[in-house]
Amino acid sequence: MNDYERDYPDYTEAPGYEHGDEPPCNTSKNPNFYEVMEGRVKRRSFLAGGLAAISTGLFGSSLLGKAALAQSTAKGALLGFTPVPISFDDTVVVPEGYSFHILGATGEPIMGDMPAFRSGANSAAEQGMQIGQHHDGIHYFPIDGSSEDGIICVNHEYIEPRFLHAEKPGYKGQPIDSRSVVYDADGMRDDDEVQLEINAHGVSVYRTAKQADGTWAVVADPRNRKITGGTPIAIGGPVQGSAHVRTKYSPDGTMTRGTLNNCAHGVTPWNTYLTAEENWAGYFSNTDQIDQKPDLPREHARYGVSSNPQGGRYGWHLAKSGADEFARFNASSIGAAATEDYRNEPNTFGWMVEIDPFDPESTPVKRTHLGRFAHEGVVFAPVVEGAPVVCYSGDDARFEYIYKFVSDDVWVPGETDGSILDSGTLYAAKFNDDGTGEWLALAPGRNGLTPANGFADMADILVNTRLAADQAGATKMDRPEWGTIDPNSGEVYFALTNNSRRTQAQVDAVNPRAENNFGQIVRWHYENGDHTRASFDWDLFVIAGNAQNSAVATGGALGDDSIFACPDGIWCDENSRLWIQTDMGDIGPDYDGPLKDFGMNGMLASDPATGEIRRFLTGPWGQETTGVVTTPDGKTMFINFQHPGAHASAEAFAAGDFGSGFPDYDGTVPRSATVVITRDDGGIIGA
Ligand code: FEO
Ligand code: CA
Ligand code: CA
Ligand code: CA
């Protein structure tokens, strides 16, 4: 098992789980992406001519490529910076003429008493007023359109307990790796430590402004707040009030507590923030199976909820006090009815959650019609007055699907709000072998979603979105991560980060490796640019890898300035520059696996029309680079480094080596942080 496959601890022994954050739970018979591609690019052409021949066949006749090329000629070159080399250092490297500084690191205060960061020693209450851990999706909401004053929303995907508690009794000196949970001698957990971990999850919302010296800083503001793993959140859409989500906390199934494992995000056309719940299943334990009761319910099993009494992932249900806010992570049927225990608590996770960053009193809402799965993020198509609202979301696990939602109601500027996401049609993508694709509706009575096949109604379909997509016959993909839409061409891009489970027998044209270690980016478009259409045309924009294993849509392979692996965060800016971030896992200086050619994780920029890709930035040891947005003027960029130091072994940690010094380099624990990037001449980032 390679390090990069182990985003997460072995926190569960549930069937189907191995290492990593993406449980291979999909046992349906739908075709894999490579099988679909086989008809389009003949297997023997790969065997005869290698990848170059494949890429010509695959991309050469792309109508999309020609359209994009015409657009590029009109706009001129998109990429104006000198690429940076791969890096093996514990540093941040940006192109010549660019500068960076740290904005919001884990533990920086944003509200309340503004308690100072104390390395490995903050209390739960303090963390509740500070920026959380493991930054991921991020957006800058301008205040009055400003490019120098705005509100940041930033997700916190998961945690490394050893860095949160490094100075607390029982942690230092023990062999603890990045995945470890430390239990007390009695096998239970300390309440304050559990609460701290819950408070380090969720979303940090804070105002930031450019200072006189040109740097950006947190600004105290009544809108600053934390939405944590414990914040009351409403359940909206068709699942609201259904039997699937009735709990002891909310017997009528309208509320739950917290949002967890918030990976990427989306921004709605009405200027709110959506945060994605990705690998939430591991936070729960359901021991019904062990207790000789029936198998785990399908709405747990298909998502990988643990049947290990010690699991979930952080053992929160083992908090000593047994308080309800911790006990709820035990999803076993221990009460007389669903409203007397938390057997349904996992069903209140796996959703997209809407947050209004401008209204600190507003209650976030889980928008259930966008489906329940390991949501990576969500991306909205440009809105058209009088037409439905359309968005896309990927399910980041091996052999899972890409989804689209089309609202019933239409976009009315100034009137439309989040409730438009509560009624519409959810679809799963089917990629045909001829370069076309179709959207399969996941709705009662359609595509086999009938009571006879086990789907009672819309709420049942949504709670079991993965099973509904299996039933409909969607195409199994290689871990769909972020999506983005080119605002000028309307093309949709999705990063498919890797799929290490591909066997030699499954090698084919689009995945010409015995394990897809490197990933690829797929894109599609519609006739007349109409995102509501049921059919689309697609191709691959890039097959990532080193020079011998890569291909670019417009021809050729990646070179020294552009090789990368495991695309994850992608974002197309308003000039159509496609930014690509990498998550090869916890890569450190001693890494010696199949990704050793690529150095530390970082970010590249590409021109969708020419296919050119240039490395823009490299980051410190152990981190992944994730989250990217600019101010409206394009002159200030915000990115995140997540989990610096995560590669440090248990032995190194015990010896006081935290793996990385980022961002303080002063002996304190490494911290995830937002990094601000500017151009010394004040120009547009990337141009
Ligand atoms: Fe949280 Fe799929 O990355
Ligand atoms: Ca990761
Ligand atoms: Ca990601
Ligand atoms: Ca990833």
Side-chain angles (χ1 to χ4, degrees), residues 322-657:
D324 191 68
E325 65 264 35
F326 309 131
R328 67 190 168 109
F329 293 102
N330 180 357
S332 309
S333 300
I334 53 177
T339 51
E340 294 177 27
D341 61 25
Y342 288 100
R343 69 187 70 175
N344 285 334
E345 189 76 353
N347 302 345
T348 72
F349 289 82
W351 308 106
M352 292 295 320
V353 184
E354 185 174 18
I355 296 166
D356 183 349
F358 292 97
D359 180 2
E361 302 302 318
S362 59
T363 300
V365 183
K366 302 209 176 188
R367 296 295 179 191
T368 61
H369 217 137
L370 303 187
R372 176 172 177 257
F373 42 90
H375 276 283
E376 177 73 17
V378 64
V379 58
F380 283 79
V383 285
V384 178
E385 189 169 352
V389 168
V390 179
C391 59
Y392 302 90
S393 186
D395 183 353
D396 179 12
R398 299 176 184 93
F399 308 114
E400 294 297 343
Y401 308 115
I402 294 174
Y403 297 87
K404 170 167 99 165
F405 173 83
V406 180
S407 68
D408 283 341
D409 291 339
V410 299
W411 169 247
V412 181
E415 283 186 21
T416 296
D417 62 20
S419 65
I420 198 170
L421 300 178
D422 291 341
S423 62
T425 306
L426 184 67
Y427 300 85
K430 181 167 187 277
F431 290 80
N432 296 322
D433 57 7
D434 61 356
T436 66
E438 56 197 293
W439 291 103
L440 307 171
L442 307 181
R446 300 180 69 178
N447 293 304
L449 299 173
T450 61
N453 285 330
F455 297 93
D457 54 20
M458 194 70 241
D460 197 22
I461 289 170
L462 291 170
V463 168
N464 296 290
T465 301
R466 284 180 170 175
L467 288 165
D470 292 345
Q471 175 71 45
T475 302
K476 295 177 178 181
M477 307 296 279
D478 281 357
R479 295 190 52 198
E481 299 249 28
W482 290 46
T484 188
I485 296 178
D486 182 334
N488 298 301
S489 70
E491 294 162 52
V492 186
Y493 290 76
F494 261 80
L496 305 170
T497 196
N498 59 58
N499 186 346
S500 56
R501 299 288 157 78
R502 197 173 300 284
T503 65
Q504 188 64 45
Q506 294 171 318
V507 164
D508 66 20
V510 72
N511 295 298
R513 294 161 280 215
E515 290 183 352
N516 183 5
N517 286 329
F518 302 141
Q520 67 266 25
I521 297 176
V522 66
R523 64 181 171 185
W524 63 87
H525 70 291
Y526 299 89
E527 193 176 324
N528 301 322
D530 179 0
H531 287 263
T532 68
R533 294 183 72 93
S535 61
F536 58 92
D537 294 301
W538 66 274
D539 71 350
L540 291 181
F541 172 59
V542 60
I543 298 173
N546 53 30
Q548 295 74 39
N549 284 293
S550 61
V552 184
T554 44
L558 300 174
D560 288 348
D561 295 338
S562 58
I563 61 165
F564 71 96
C566 306
D568 187 339
I570 57 172
W571 179 63
C572 206
D573 69 26
E574 71 167 30
N575 295 314
S576 298
R577 267 177 297 272
L578 181 68
W579 297 90
I580 302 168
Q581 300 176 312
T582 68
D583 175 14
M584 299 180 285
D586 307 343
I587 301 283
D590 299 326
Y591 174 83
D592 193 31
L595 299 165
K596 63 184 176 186
D597 290 350
F598 304 95
M600 298 304 110
N601 281 302
M603 182 169 73
L604 309 96
S606 64
D607 181 336
T610 65
E612 183 183 8
I613 299 177
R614 294 184 191 177
R615 191 175 303 101
F616 179 82
L617 165 155
T618 57
W621 290 340
Q623 54 81 39
E624 71 173 87
T625 309
T626 182
V628 52
V629 68
T630 65
T631 49
D633 64 7
K635 295 179 176 177
T636 302
M637 175 176 275
F638 304 94
I639 63 112
N640 297 313
F641 292 125
Q642 185 191 97
H643 60 69
H647 62 290
S649 67
E651 294 71 27
F653 179 82
D657 175 0

Side-chain angles (χ1 to χ4, degrees), residues 79-431:
L79 309 180
F81 62 90
T82 303
V84 302
I86 61 169
S87 165
F88 293 91
D89 297 329
D90 191 29
T91 56
V92 182
V93 179
V94 293
E96 196 180 335
Y98 283 78
S99 297
F100 73 92
H101 63 274
I102 307 301
L103 170 59
T106 298
E108 174 151 7
I110 60 171
M111 59 186 289
D113 299 338
M114 301 291 277
F117 167 68
R118 295 186 287 139
S119 177
N122 281 119
S123 69
E126 289 169 340
Q127 176 63 78
M129 295 177 267
Q130 299 169 329
I131 291 175
Q133 206 181 27
H134 282 19
H135 301 36
D136 207 312
I138 187 170
H139 190 69
Y140 171 89
F141 290 90
I143 294 175
D144 299 327
S146 176
S147 286
E148 299 189 350
D149 186 10
I151 293 175
I152 292 270
C153 290
V154 59
N155 288 347
H156 303 293
E157 189 180 26
Y158 64 106
I159 56 163
E160 265 188 69
R162 62 178 178 171
F163 292 143
L164 291 174
H165 311 305
E167 297 301 328
K168 291 178 183 168
Y171 280 84
K172 258 211 146 159
Q174 294 187 26
I176 300 167
D177 72 14
S178 63
R179 332 292 178 182
S180 298
V181 176
V182 174
Y183 300 92
D184 286 349
D186 54 5
M188 304 297 281
R189 295 219 54 208
D190 176 84
D191 273 38
D192 193 70
E193 291 185 1
V194 170
Q195 187 65 61
L196 191 161
E197 293 171 12
I198 290 173
N199 289 352
H201 278 76
V203 182
S204 296
V205 180
Y206 65 90
R207 185 175 178 181
T208 181
K210 193 173 179 178
Q211 308 296 296
D213 65 358
T215 64
W216 290 68
V218 172
V219 176
D221 189 276
R223 290 166 289 201
N224 293 1
R225 67 169 161 163
K226 294 286 299 292
I227 291 146
T228 73
T231 302
I233 298 183
I235 298 170
V239 176
Q240 181 189 70
S242 76
H244 302 281
V245 289
R246 292 178 197 154
T247 63
K248 186 176 172 186
Y249 173 71
S250 181
D252 64 357
T254 57
M255 295 290 294
T256 188
R257 281 169 288 188
T259 183
L260 290 172
N261 211 271
N262 303 97
C263 193
H265 69 294
V267 182
T268 67
W270 49 96
N271 210 36
T272 61
Y273 187 79
L274 285 172
T275 187
E277 298 181 331
E278 191 189 16
N279 295 299
W280 47 271
Y283 292 74
F284 298 95
S285 169
N286 180 347
T287 60
D288 287 357
Q289 203 172 26
I290 291 174
D291 296 339
Q292 305 303 314
K293 293 176 185 171
D295 286 350
L296 291 188
R298 61 180 187 166
E299 64 271 19
H300 293 185
R302 182 65 175 81
Y303 297 91
V305 169
S306 175
S307 57
N308 181 345
Q310 284 295 109
R313 180 173 183 179
Y314 301 116
W316 288 346
H317 64 298
L318 301 175
K320 275 196 193 88
S321 67
D324 191 68
E325 65 264 35
F326 309 131
R328 67 190 168 109
F329 293 102
N330 180 357
S332 309
S333 300
I334 53 177
T339 51
E340 294 177 27
D341 61 25
Y342 288 100
R343 69 187 70 175
N344 285 334
E345 189 76 353
N347 302 345
T348 72
F349 289 82
W351 308 106
M352 292 295 320
V353 184
E354 185 174 18
I355 296 166
D356 183 349
F358 292 97
D359 180 2
E361 302 302 318
S362 59
T363 300
V365 183
K366 302 209 176 188
R367 296 295 179 191
T368 61
H369 217 137
L370 303 187
R372 176 172 177 257
F373 42 90
H375 276 283
E376 177 73 17
V378 64
V379 58
F380 283 79
V383 285
V384 178
E385 189 169 352
V389 168
V390 179
C391 59
Y392 302 90
S393 186
D395 183 353
D396 179 12
R398 299 176 184 93
F399 308 114
E400 294 297 343
Y401 308 115
I402 294 174
Y403 297 87
K404 170 167 99 165
F405 173 83
V406 180
S407 68
D408 283 341
D409 291 339
V410 299
W411 169 247
V412 181
E415 283 186 21
T416 296
D417 62 20
S419 65
I420 198 170
L421 300 178
D422 291 341
S423 62
T425 306
L426 184 67
Y427 300 85
K430 181 167 187 277
F431 290 80

